[in-house]
Amino acid sequence: MTVTLAAPNAPGIHDQEVEQLFGLSGPLSASVNGYSPRLAQTEMAKAIANAIAGQTTLLAEAGTGTGKTYAYLIPALLWGGKVIVSTGTKNLQDQLFLRDIPTIKKVLKAPVSVALLKGRANYLCHYHLERTLQNGRLSSREDVGYLRDIARFVKTTSSGDKAELARVPENASVWSLVTSTKDTCMGSECQYYQDCFVMKARKEAQQADVVVVNHHLFFADVALKDTGIAELLPSANTVIFDEAHQLPETATLFFGETVSTSQVLELCRDVLAEGLSHARDGAEWAKLVAPVERAARDLRLAFPQEFVRLAIDQIAVSSPFFETLETLKSCMQDMIAVLEKQAERAETLEQCRARAILLNEQLHNWNGAPDAKTQSKQKEGDYVLWVEAFSTSLQLHRTPLSIAPIFNKQREGVPRTWIFTSATMAVKNDFSHYVSQMGLWDEPAHTWPSPFNYQEQGYLYVPTGMPEPNSRDYSDAVLDAALPVIEAAGGRTFLLCTTLKAVKHSAERLRAEFQQRGLNFPLFVQGDAGRTELLDRFRAAGNGVLIGSQSFWEGVDVRGEALSLVIIDKLPFAPPDDPVLSARIAAMEKKGLNGFVHHQLPEAIINLKQGAGRLIRDEGDKGVLMICDPRLISKPYGKRIWQSLPSFARTRELGEVLAFFEKLRLPS
């Protein structure tokens, strides 16, 4: 079937065409295996088509199984003009580019061009590859082998995308030596500029009708102007954010500012190397960088603890931190003064000078002197200043209390369509939490329910007799309650924990229990391998138990019998001592709002909905969602939480759950 394009603003025509496209006798039914019309999908597509026609904003929550990618892709490809689709995960980005968009293009015979745009760290850099091949500064024999593979790959690839070279792991340290950053890119001065893979990808994106990116890339550009989207956005008619529930966190990350002692030490190493290479007579380079390095290390040592997260007003005035920070700024200034004089002797020295100035500006922006505390609070107003210490480095963060005003500024100007979609944006059909985070006041918002029959397909089980989640023996109580259910399910379990400590403890205990009980369930633990590899092995095993924390709560799709039980250890409330959360709650309470009711609770519900959404992925899936936290029943807010979850049959009886799994095992 060939689709006739309606005039973008023709009233009512879109609705008829959408119904025809998604209907029983439409092109999807005829061409896509297993396709059947779903009312929610058709209605969502109509709303998106109308938003595109009117160049308006739409918030669209669609339950699991609605088929939301088709619901937005079809109107976007037919009527959207130049379209940017942004996803929360690389998995969905690849799924759209490699599978969903080609399918829709073929079905609709739509003559649109499509480009995939990633961050510059995903593309090989000819200049840095050549430097690394010449310098040979590699720390392991493994990296030497990987570098050889990369040198062969660069001669055959047309995209330079490291994802194409599967034999070199994505997290191999050698990649950082053969890719560029904004700081280390030579730009148009580079001898390889004409062949640059980053520039090529951006040029393709400029010319394409549909560009697929991810949220990190989108917001990195808005904040850093370093991804090529700055040039794309002015010409875009339609911007679609899928997995839009992740936007507040991603935007907070990029609209804030972080400077770390690691960046300072890296700069010192480069200043020393480039100074000795190009201006040996220009300064005593080792003596120049030594005080900067010392001050950066001393800044980390100002906190003796292994791991620290503190807001500025939680740091004692007597702490050596403030004085050391001033010393670091002063030493940086001395280094910049020398670089100013020597920069013209080499492009790489000019780069070092620019990096040093930027880092010093960020250190000054942080404004962390103890006598500036009060003034900093008044002046910063909309930012929270906090430090985070790791084993060998310290980060200074300047984080916006709200991204709403900054994000709304980005949406001003040329009228265009903005679509925000996810399976989890609302709390019991109430979008107010999401709307207040993003500043999307007075914009239309709709929820389309999942087509799944949750009442028939599964149980929500909350075990009785559980201790309070803050009790010392809580993790063991979770495992005591979980073991008979895991056994009844025949493995086939996700155990989703709220902390990495709980992941580690659960793995140790289950490994011992399985051995002792003679249960042959393969155990897959976050951290033992990459997420994709763990999931592939879990699916292949068919009776595995996977233990993970936050990264397995969302963006994970295991259909069929391989996953029949999802256990959640605790309600996912953010730790109350988090500096940004504390500052946001304090700001809300100044306005007369309740920080728990208006922020922590809706945030936890949206997170929990994501975790719960791992269980039923298909009309044929059946299983049990087990939430161990007794607060779901005992606290007044518990009712609001479980009313937001899928409408499973509910039970507190272990016997009912065991009978359910027994029935599943019987041949139908």
Side-chain angles (χ1 to χ4, degrees):
M1 169 186 170
T2 305
V3 177
T4 312
L5 300 193
N9 293 304
I13 295 180
H14 282 159
D15 285 3
Q16 295 161 21
E17 290 213 44
V18 168
E19 282 180 11
Q20 188 186 4
L21 289 162
F22 286 89
L24 257 179
S25 54
L28 288 170
S29 261
S31 312
V32 177
N33 281 342
Y35 176 82
S36 58
R38 283 167 253 183
L39 180 63
Q41 185 182 47
T42 308
E43 292 302 313
M44 180 179 171
K46 283 182 192 174
I48 288 170
N50 288 322
I52 288 171
Q55 292 188 317
T56 55
T57 295
L58 174 69
L59 281 72
E61 183 184 71
T64 310
T66 306
K68 66 180 185 301
T69 54
Y70 281 19
Y72 65 68
L73 283 176
I74 287 177
L77 266 60
L78 289 179
W79 302 296
K82 173 96 174 182
V83 179
I84 297 174
V85 182
S86 180
T87 69
T89 57
K90 277 189 183 175
N91 282 353
L92 181 56
Q93 194 182 6
D94 289 339
Q95 177 194 312
L96 287 169
F97 183 71
L98 300 171
R99 195 178 78 200
D100 293 351
I101 294 176
T103 300
I104 298 296
K105 267 185 70 175
K106 191 175 170 188
V107 167
L108 300 182
K109 301 182 174 64
V112 295
S113 55
V114 188
L116 180 69
L117 186 59
K118 297 183 179 181
R120 64 163 69 243
N122 291 278
Y123 300 101
L124 265 179
C125 169
H126 292 89
Y127 172 74
H128 287 287
L129 174 60
E130 187 180 299
R131 275 187 86 191
T132 305
L133 286 167
Q134 285 170 356
N135 296 345
R137 291 182 298 181
L138 296 170
S139 53
S140 70
R141 184 176 294 173
E142 195 177 38
D143 279 347
V144 173
Y146 289 154
L147 185 61
R148 205 175 297 124
D149 290 333
I150 292 167
R152 280 197 291 266
F153 171 66
V154 77
K155 292 171 185 167
T156 57
T157 177
S158 60
S159 72
D161 185 347
K162 69 181 191 183
E164 288 178 15
L165 187 58
R167 74 167 73 92
V168 179
E170 200 177 331
N171 57 357
S173 58
V174 71
W175 283 121
S176 65
L177 299 173
V178 296
T179 53
S180 70
T181 65
K182 183 174 186 254
D183 292 336
T184 62
C185 173
M186 306 280 285
S188 55
E189 300 294 316
C190 180
Q191 66 198 85
Y192 297 105
Y193 187 71
Q194 295 304 319
D195 302 315
C196 175
F197 293 122
V198 172
M199 291 303 136
K200 188 179 172 192
R202 291 180 181 180
K203 195 173 177 185
E204 284 174 8
Q206 283 284 324
Q207 293 164 353
D209 301 306
V210 179
V211 187
V212 185
V213 301
N214 62 50
H215 302 339
H216 278 261
L217 190 70
F218 189 94
F219 285 110
D221 183 77
V222 168
L224 309 173
K225 300 285 179 282
D226 183 41
T227 69
I229 292 172
E231 297 88 46
L232 284 179
L233 201 52
S235 60
N237 306 98
T238 303
V239 179
I240 299 170
F241 292 107
D242 198 344
E243 300 176 313
H245 63 279
Q246 294 185 11
L247 289 179
E249 194 178 327
T250 310
T252 297
L253 178 71
F254 285 106
F255 289 147
E257 204 171 73
T258 296
V259 57
S260 74
T261 55
S262 299
Q263 285 172 284
V264 174
L265 293 172
E266 204 173 284
L267 172 69
C268 288
R269 280 196 296 273
D270 289 348
V271 168
L272 180 60
E274 300 304 332
L276 291 174
S277 293
H278 301 289
R280 187 175 282 272
D281 58 342
E284 291 189 68
W285 295 101
K287 280 188 179 174
L288 179 70
V289 301
V292 183
E293 288 179 325
R294 194 180 313 114
R297 292 197 173 96
D298 286 348
L299 197 64
R300 168 61 192 95
L301 294 172
F303 301 98
Q305 307 95 311
E306 177 71 14
F307 181 76
V308 176
R309 287 165 72 95
L310 293 172
I312 185 173
D313 51 10
Q314 293 175 305
I315 304 170
V317 177
S318 58
S319 167
F321 167 79
F322 295 105
E323 194 180 327
T324 310
L325 181 58
E326 292 309 309
T327 304
L328 177 58
K329 290 179 193 174
S330 170
C331 295
M332 282 282 283
Q333 203 55 58
D334 294 343
M335 188 166 78
I336 289 167
V338 174
L339 285 168
E340 295 277 9
K341 291 175 186 163
Q342 304 300 325
E344 61 187 25
R345 296 177 69 172
E347 180 62 34
T348 48
L349 277 170
E350 167 54 33
Q351 273 189 340
C352 287
R353 182 194 73 87
R355 279 165 68 191
I357 288 170
L358 179 64
L359 281 176
N360 209 32
E361 270 175 19
Q362 289 176 317
L363 289 169
H364 280 279
N365 284 350
W366 201 80
N367 194 21
D371 56 352
K373 273 192 190 183
T374 322
Q375 143 204 339
S376 127
K377 277 191 170 173
Q378 291 158 356
K379 182 179 150 194
E380 295 291 327
D382 298 332
Y383 286 85
V384 54
L385 304 180
W386 57 289
V387 300
E388 187 171 25
F390 302 95
S391 53
T392 58
S393 70
L394 183 81
Q395 294 185 342
L396 306 180
H397 300 282
R398 182 173 173 268
T399 304
L401 279 174
S402 169
I403 58 145
I406 315 171
F407 183 62
N408 270 332
K409 212 168 182 183
Q410 303 304 321
R411 293 175 61 234
E412 287 169 1
V414 184
R416 63 171 61 89
T417 305
W418 297 84
I419 307 292
F420 299 82
T421 185
S422 166
T424 56
M425 291 159 76
V427 175
K428 207 184 163 217
N429 298 339
D430 177 2
F431 287 78
S432 55
H433 174 62
Y434 187 79
V435 161
S436 65
Q437 285 182 301
M438 297 298 294
L440 299 170
W441 305 107
D442 304 321
E443 301 292 6
H446 296 284
T447 295
W448 289 275
S450 167
F452 299 153
N453 185 346
Y454 287 107
Q455 195 74 24
E456 295 289 322
Q457 288 180 251
Y459 271 100
L460 166 59
Y461 168 50
V462 183
T464 55
M466 291 296 293
E468 285 302 305
N470 59 359
S471 63
R472 186 180 289 178
D473 57 349
Y474 184 76
S475 286
D476 281 312
V478 167
L479 297 168
D480 291 340
L483 272 159
V485 190
I486 294 171
E487 194 168 346
R492 304 185 297 164
T493 299
F494 270 11
L495 171 53
L496 300 178
C497 302
T498 49
T499 64
L500 288 170
K501 187 180 173 188
V503 169
K504 191 180 173 198
H505 176 73
S506 302
E508 287 167 2
R509 167 109 188 258
L510 286 184
R511 198 168 276 120
E513 292 278 1
F514 289 174
Q515 196 172 354
Q516 197 179 324
R517 297 171 185 227
L519 298 173
N520 190 23
F521 302 147
L523 204 56
F524 304 100
V525 183
Q526 179 177 336
D528 286 358
R531 187 171 92 150
T532 306
E533 189 185 334
L534 280 177
L535 285 168
D536 288 344
R537 281 159 49 189
F538 175 83
R539 287 188 193 100
N543 67 336
V545 174
L546 186 147
I547 309 173
S549 67
Q550 192 57 50
S551 62
F552 286 91
W553 284 62
E554 59 180 281
V556 172
D557 193 4
V558 179
R559 293 166 192 244
E561 291 184 2
L563 179 59
S564 299
L565 171 63
V566 170
I567 302 169
I568 291 174
D569 70 341
K570 281 184 192 177
L571 298 177
F573 288 110
D577 59 349
D578 177 89
V580 179
L581 177 62
S582 303
R584 282 181 173 161
I585 288 171
M588 292 179 92
E589 290 179 346
K590 270 184 194 167
K591 294 176 185 170
L593 297 171
N594 181 307
F596 178 77
V597 170
H598 293 103
H599 188 84
Q600 285 169 287
L601 183 58
E603 199 74 6
I605 290 173
I606 287 167
N607 242 334
L608 188 66
K609 280 170 73 176
Q610 277 294 332
R614 296 317 97 215
L615 182 63
I616 305 295
R617 307 298 298 170
D618 211 291
E619 273 116 343
D621 285 358
K622 295 201 168 187
V624 170
L625 170 65
M626 177 176 173
I627 301 178
C628 300
D629 197 323
R631 292 175 294 183
L632 195 60
I633 305 296
S634 64
K635 297 290 182 187
Y637 58 76
K639 187 176 181 184
R640 190 163 176 221
I641 296 175
W642 61 253
Q643 283 178 340
S644 297
L645 292 170
S647 55
F648 292 113
R650 286 166 164 72
T651 185
R652 303 208 68 195
E653 299 299 322
L654 176 60
E656 279 191 61
V657 173
L658 301 184
F660 174 81
F661 281 122
E662 183 62 35
K663 195 174 168 188
L664 278 190
R665 275 208 298 269
L666 296 172
S668 51

